[in-house]
Amino acid sequence: MGARNNLRRKTAILLAAAIIALLPSFTAQNTDPVIRVAISSNLSGALISDGGEAGLGAFYEAAVGEKADILLDFGNFYNGSPISDLANGENAASVASIAGYGGMALGPRDWLFGKEQLLLLEKRSGVPILAGNVIDTASNKPLFSTKYIAVVASGIKIGVFGIIGEDMAALTPDGYLAGISYADPVSFAESCASELKRDGCIAAVCLGQTYDEDLISKLSLIADLLIAPGDDISINGPVITLGSSRQSSFGLVEMRYSETQKKLYAGLMRNQAYEMAPKATSDVAKSIAGFEAKFNQALDGPLGESLISVPNETNGSGSETTLGRLVCDSYRFATNADIAFESSKAIGKSLPQGTLSYRDSLNALPGGGNIITVSLTGDEVLSVLEQSTQTAMHAQQPNASDPQPFSLHVSGVKYNYDPSMPMGKRVYNTQVQGEPLDLKKSYTAAINSQLAALPDYPVLNSARKCQDSIGCFSALSSYIQRGWFSASLSEARIIESPLPEGSEWRENGNQSGSNPGQSAGSPVQGSPGQSAGSSDQGPPGQSAGSSDQGSPGQSAGSSDQGPSGQSHNGDQGHSSYDRIGYDENGSYVGLSGSPHANGSSDSQSAAGNANVSSASQASVKNPITGATASLAVPLAMLGASIVIAACLLAAKLKGKKA
């Protein structure tokens, strides 16, 4: 009995000693100086909450509630949401200024208003873009003047700098990056870290816009903490990752400094479910409310004319609709992709015949999102079509739980399917821009970024992203503005029909790649009884059989108007917004150009005077359908009114704040 009590006493003493030994470390961790950093990413100009995700106003309120010492953005701040796109990002810049952002990284979509507009947004917001390895080739100097920023809180001083890797830069269409090159990010990071230490900073934080694992590894050895893109919010040693969706890339990081280890570390990270509507009492909320009111007024402005109605009702065969075809056509036109997909659930209200407004465009695509292009093999395209067919067939069952499935609308693709065949062998006679699908060839597909995130289509979910592009609303609005409507929109692209009896295809299925009239083993998927490579329909705007294809609707090598009047050679989409100009003093000087069918733009008159083009009529050829239609160019994008109000409201609020 005594021996047992002695054992208990010894155990208690050892346990107490262990606890006492650990107490200093717990105490040190809790009392280490902390800098609370609120980080947003992939806001895409969303001042207000949309698509089920919180906007900038909600993020700001959460940051204030968390008592953040500084607000940072990790990129893709300005472009991609209707409210910001109609104002060329000017309203987002004003809100960023009022919110007091300390700095922002450079994301691929931040370029999509054009280089000059991006520099103007940086100037108007007063928020430095931290991407010091971006070089202006004309001057051979950094494009952005701020190399790094210093943050002081809790008695400690840290420095923050940013880089963009060439892998991330490649996601921006080339035409937006004319005159841009990139310095070595590792050498730039080493230079920043050295200068920050000389400047009295105890640590350096890098905003690293790159997926390159080797580069991330090198940067993590230079910076004390590295913020990088990932699938979700997480902390892994010195590397903090932010998710790809807006909601999964909001967070608060507690950066603490250990006096004993002389080291900065991420002590805590929260990603709470932010309120979907900001409080109405802050200057930020008042500013956003003013922009939202002007945005709602602008939505009722004229956008274009349609000589036909564009319904979102099926014709009884599958879930394909005329509006779905139009939306996909607009995606393909904006990106010059080979094909385009959009979920049937993303398609909204039908478009009426006659004058269309921006609100009509928004109602047609109410869910938001931006366009990305991904690379797919022909075999992967076929897999996506098979999955879409399976989903559509399930929805047609009497006991289907979801009457509107995530089946897909398409552009650039036409195919037949036989519902009596097993999955994987239903789709046949698949053609891409009039040519038989080549199972081994790589194709570019334009899709909504939200579709890429859905688990329904694992092929799209895991596909390699090629480029980021403009918002889906902007792409559709641009297409409507050009007036490219035709009766061909009502022609089916997804056709239910039985396979010919006795055909070799019925036995072997699509995956074998063989069909009547084609030698077995060929990777090209033609139609039964048709030789591989032949086509009864040429790609859009091009005669059948032609192999020298430029961008849709133009001859190979020709150029069309890109951002800020720049020309391109089929490597980017079209700007969907007029250039709204400001002089060097920040005064509004009106439109600097309106897009025209022939690719020209109205030149701006003397500084300080708006030059608004009058409506013009032109007969143009639709690069997607090949049809000719009347093009109506409206007086001006109504974003100008939003920007004027933005300037007045921002000045009033800042004056009151001062």
Side-chain angles (χ1 to χ4, degrees):
M1 190 72 173
R4 184 178 300 175
N5 288 334
N6 287 335
L7 180 61
R8 287 175 179 172
R9 278 196 296 271
K10 289 180 180 179
T11 302
I13 291 170
L14 289 172
L15 183 59
I19 293 173
I20 292 171
L22 289 173
L23 268 176
S25 64
F26 283 123
T27 304
Q29 182 176 357
N30 291 333
T31 60
D32 281 345
V34 60
I35 296 181
R36 294 178 175 85
V37 181
I39 307 174
S40 60
S41 182
N42 295 306
L43 272 169
S44 302
L47 305 183
I48 54 180
S49 302
D50 62 6
E53 292 189 308
L56 174 54
F59 167 72
Y60 174 77
E61 296 297 341
V64 171
E66 295 280 7
K67 296 180 173 58
D69 296 304
I70 186 172
L71 274 68
L72 297 175
D73 184 80
F74 193 58
N76 295 327
F77 183 86
Y78 290 113
N79 185 288
S81 293
I83 190 171
S84 179
D85 286 356
L86 278 180
N88 287 342
E90 296 287 351
N91 45 18
S94 294
V95 176
S97 176
I98 297 169
Y101 269 87
M104 58 178 63
L106 182 66
R109 292 199 303 278
D110 287 322
W111 296 99
L112 297 182
F113 289 126
K115 179 175 67 176
E116 297 305 320
Q117 181 68 5
L118 179 59
L119 291 171
L120 182 61
L121 294 174
E122 181 187 34
K123 177 181 178 181
R124 290 189 59 78
S125 68
V127 182
I129 293 176
L130 302 175
N133 69 317
V134 177
I135 304 300
D136 175 25
T137 54
S139 64
N140 199 32
K141 295 180 179 179
L143 181 67
F144 306 105
S145 58
T146 303
K147 190 170 184 178
Y148 53 78
I149 61 172
V151 183
V152 180
S154 300
I156 60 175
K157 180 181 179 181
I158 65 172
V160 182
F161 66 92
I163 64 94
I164 183 167
E166 292 198 38
D167 63 310
M168 191 66 77
L171 297 179
T172 302
D174 292 339
Y176 293 92
L177 300 177
I180 295 298
S181 64
Y182 300 90
D184 175 39
V186 174
S187 298
F188 175 76
E190 290 173 338
S191 171
C192 285
S194 177
E195 289 183 31
L196 286 169
K197 287 184 179 179
R198 290 199 300 268
D199 194 32
C201 293
I202 61 170
V205 177
C206 176
L207 304 179
Q209 274 283 3
T210 180
Y211 286 104
D212 187 328
E213 293 183 1
D214 182 59
L215 179 55
I216 288 174
S217 177
K218 291 177 180 177
L219 292 173
S220 66
L221 296 176
I222 299 169
D224 295 86
L225 289 177
L226 171 67
I227 299 174
D231 296 327
D232 210 337
I233 287 183
S234 66
I235 297 176
N236 184 14
V239 180
I240 302 165
T241 60
L242 299 177
S244 56
S245 70
R246 193 193 314 161
Q247 196 72 17
S248 67
S249 53
F250 281 3
L252 181 106
V253 182
E254 290 191 355
M255 297 183 181
R256 293 182 174 271
Y257 184 73
S258 170
E259 297 285 0
T260 56
Q261 299 182 27
K262 304 298 181 185
K263 179 181 179 181
L264 188 72
Y265 63 96
L268 178 68
M269 188 162 189
R270 286 192 290 278
N271 176 233
Q272 65 187 64
Y274 298 116
E275 296 292 333
M276 297 305 290
K279 299 173 184 176
T281 55
S282 70
D283 286 347
V284 167
K286 292 175 183 177
S287 174
I288 291 174
F291 293 138
E292 188 175 8
K294 289 298 181 182
F295 171 62
N296 283 323
Q297 293 176 14
L299 285 176
D300 293 322
L303 174 61
E305 297 285 333
S306 175
L307 301 179
I308 61 171
S309 62
V310 186
N312 189 30
E313 289 83 30
T314 63
N315 59 7
S317 175
S319 58
E320 186 184 23
T321 70
T322 306
L323 180 57
R325 299 184 195 107
L326 178 71
V327 167
C328 289
D329 285 351
S330 73
Y331 291 3
R332 194 155 65 91
F333 171 71
T335 59
N336 293 336
D338 299 314
I339 57 182
F341 299 124
E342 180 55 288
S343 165
S344 57
K345 277 200 170 180
I347 310 300
K349 293 184 179 180
S350 302
L351 294 175
Q353 182 179 354
T355 301
L356 299 176
S357 68
Y358 292 99
R359 192 178 300 280
D360 290 321
S361 178
L362 185 61
N363 289 338
L365 271 175
N370 68 285
I371 306 171
I372 63 172
T373 58
V374 297
S375 178
L376 300 173
T377 65
D379 191 59
E380 288 173 326
V381 170
L382 193 59
S383 176
V384 170
L385 298 180
E386 285 281 358
Q387 180 62 52
S388 177
T389 301
Q390 168 72 12
T391 307
M393 288 175 56
H394 169 74
Q396 293 173 17
Q397 301 300 318
N399 60 347
S401 58
D402 190 347
Q404 189 183 17
F406 284 117
S407 57
L408 301 179
H409 296 280
V410 300
S411 176
V413 178
K414 187 175 182 179
Y415 63 94
N416 297 65
Y417 73 95
D418 185 344
S420 69
M421 296 291 286
M423 183 176 176
K425 297 185 177 182
R426 293 183 179 127
V427 175
Y428 69 98
N429 191 23
T430 307
Q431 297 189 353
V432 176
Q433 297 187 22
E435 297 291 334
L437 178 71
D438 187 333
L439 299 182
K440 294 184 178 179
K441 180 180 177 180
S442 291
Y443 296 92
T444 54
I447 59 176
N448 189 325
S449 56
Q450 296 175 353
L451 173 60
L454 293 176
D456 303 56
Y457 294 92
V459 170
L460 298 180
N461 194 262
S462 61
R464 180 180 66 84
K465 184 163 70 171
C466 301
Q467 287 183 338
D468 275 297
S469 190
I470 60 176
C472 298
F473 163 79
S474 292
L476 179 60
S477 298
S478 178
Y479 202 66
I480 291 173
Q481 191 180 49
R482 286 166 169 79
W484 282 326
F485 299 89
S486 71
S488 64
L489 278 174
S490 62
E491 296 176 3
R493 299 170 183 176
I494 305 173
I495 304 166
E496 179 183 341
S497 60
L499 279 165
E501 289 293 336
S503 69
E504 184 180 353
W505 199 297
R506 180 172 291 277
E507 284 74 37
N508 294 336
N510 290 319
Q511 304 299 341
S512 69
S514 61
N515 61 72
Q518 179 182 333
S519 60
S522 170
V524 177
Q525 185 193 23
S527 61
Q530 179 182 335
S531 60
S534 68
S535 172
D536 56 0
Q537 176 189 353
Q542 182 182 337
S543 60
S546 171
S547 60
D548 184 16
Q549 183 188 4
S551 62
Q554 64 188 75
S555 59
S558 67
S559 67
D560 201 348
Q561 185 182 11
S564 303
Q566 298 171 357
S567 63
H568 66 92
N569 293 296
D571 56 4
Q572 69 179 62
H574 292 248
S575 171
S576 58
Y577 5 73
D578 293 345
R579 298 295 121 194
I580 299 175
Y582 288 81
D583 62 19
E584 60 184 4
N585 297 317
S587 300
Y588 172 73
V589 294
L591 299 174
S592 59
S594 296
H596 283 250
N598 59 6
S600 65
S601 64
D602 293 322
S603 60
Q604 186 179 320
S605 59
N609 298 315
N611 177 20
V612 182
S613 62
S614 60
S616 64
Q617 298 288 331
S619 179
V620 296
K621 192 169 187 179
N622 185 336
I624 302 300
T625 65
T628 300
S630 175
L631 167 64
V633 179
L635 287 175
M637 294 286 281
L638 292 185
S641 63
I642 300 178
V643 175
I644 295 173
C647 297
L648 294 174
L649 185 59
K652 182 178 179 181
L653 287 169
K654 292 191 79 173
K656 183 186 295 185
K657 191 174 182 180

